[in-house]
């Protein structure tokens, strides 16, 4: 957890969601964005969920990332209880591979939006949260721009290697 006042709340319905949510945590660390992590179950600890969501603004949070699988009510219920932006991460499930979670999170009623990323894509949720905060923080915005430049450089480096060795040699990297 961060030592400064958290700006991003990263919550999940179960500790089994933590491996998925880990990439959002890592991005907050990489960008030096203070965060907090909590297990907040919409079904098993509903009073805790209500308290978490209703006190988020007063605690200094700017955005909440909520990961949940199955019925995946956590992101939507939290969004209904706070004025902060909520980013939902559908967590892959054993039987339906997370499609149930995805459908639950994206089907919010008008007026209570939840930004939703792809199944298990907490990395994009972390980036989206960072970009939301960066819209009002020029130093953080510069870090986001630098990150994007690194992505571009990485792709161009790959293209240069492909041009140099040809596709057959390049494919050997994927065989290992």
């Amino acid at each position: 957890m961060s030592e400064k006042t958290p700006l991003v709340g990263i919550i999940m319905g179960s500790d089994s969601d933590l491996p998925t949510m880990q990439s959002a945590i890592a991005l907050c660390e990489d960008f030096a964005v203070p965060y907090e992590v909590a297990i907040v179950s919409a079904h098993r600890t509903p009073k805790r969920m209500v308290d978490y969501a209703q006190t988020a603004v007063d605690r200094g949070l700017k955005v909440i990332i909520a990961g949940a699988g199955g019925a995946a009510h956590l992101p939507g219920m939290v969004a209904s209880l706070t004025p902060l932006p909520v980013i939902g991460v559908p967590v892959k499930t054993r039987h339906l591979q997370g499609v149930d979670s995805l459908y639950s999170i994206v089907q919010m009623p008008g007026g209570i939006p939840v930004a939703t990323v792809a199944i298990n894509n907490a990395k994009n949720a972390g980036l989206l949260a960072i970009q939301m905060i960066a819209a009002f923080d020029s130093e953080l915005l510069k870090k986001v721009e630098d990150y994007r430049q690194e992505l571009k450089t990485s792709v161009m480096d790959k293209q240069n290697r492909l041009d140099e060795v040809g596709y057959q040699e390049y494919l050997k990297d994927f065989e290992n």
Side-chain angles (χ1 to χ4, degrees):
M1 301 247 182
S2 307
E3 292 182 20
K4 295 181 180 179
T5 300
L7 299 178
V8 178
I10 301 171
I11 61 175
M12 63 213 77
S14 170
D15 64 341
S16 63
D17 301 332
L18 186 56
T20 296
M21 302 306 288
Q22 180 180 2
S23 57
I25 296 166
L27 275 164
C28 287
E29 291 175 348
D30 290 347
F31 281 87
V33 172
Y35 65 92
E36 64 184 24
V37 178
I39 300 168
V40 181
S41 173
H43 302 108
R44 295 181 200 105
T45 60
K47 289 180 183 178
R48 175 174 162 76
M49 177 199 63
V50 169
D51 182 62
Y52 184 91
Q54 289 180 337
T55 63
V57 171
D58 292 338
R59 291 182 293 109
L61 292 181
K62 302 300 181 200
V63 61
I64 297 171
I65 301 170
H73 290 136
L74 182 63
M77 289 304 299
V78 168
S80 76
L81 294 163
T82 183
L84 295 176
V86 175
I87 304 166
V89 179
V91 175
K92 187 176 181 181
T93 55
R94 190 174 335 136
H95 300 292
L96 296 175
Q97 307 304 305
V99 173
D100 50 343
S101 311
L102 175 65
Y103 287 163
S104 177
I105 296 171
V106 299
Q107 291 298 328
M108 290 300 298
I112 308 294
V114 173
T116 309
V117 296
I119 297 167
N120 272 16
N121 200 341
K123 179 178 183 177
N124 271 359
L127 284 169
L128 185 55
I130 289 164
Q131 288 176 286
M132 288 175 175
I133 295 167
F136 305 96
D137 179 332
S138 60
E139 187 177 314
L140 186 56
L141 186 61
K142 175 70 170 110
K143 289 180 181 180
V144 171
E145 291 170 341
D146 291 346
Y147 175 82
R148 293 278 181 96
Q149 183 58 46
E150 290 172 19
L151 292 177
K152 178 182 174 183
T153 299
S154 173
V155 170
M156 294 313 299
D157 289 347
K158 292 173 184 179
Q159 180 61 53
N160 290 337
R161 182 161 185 278
L162 178 60
D163 291 343
E164 289 173 17
V165 302
Y167 86 92
Q168 290 176 330
E169 184 66 26
Y170 195 93
L171 282 173
K172 290 180 181 176
D173 292 346
F174 296 96
E175 294 172 2
N176 298 330

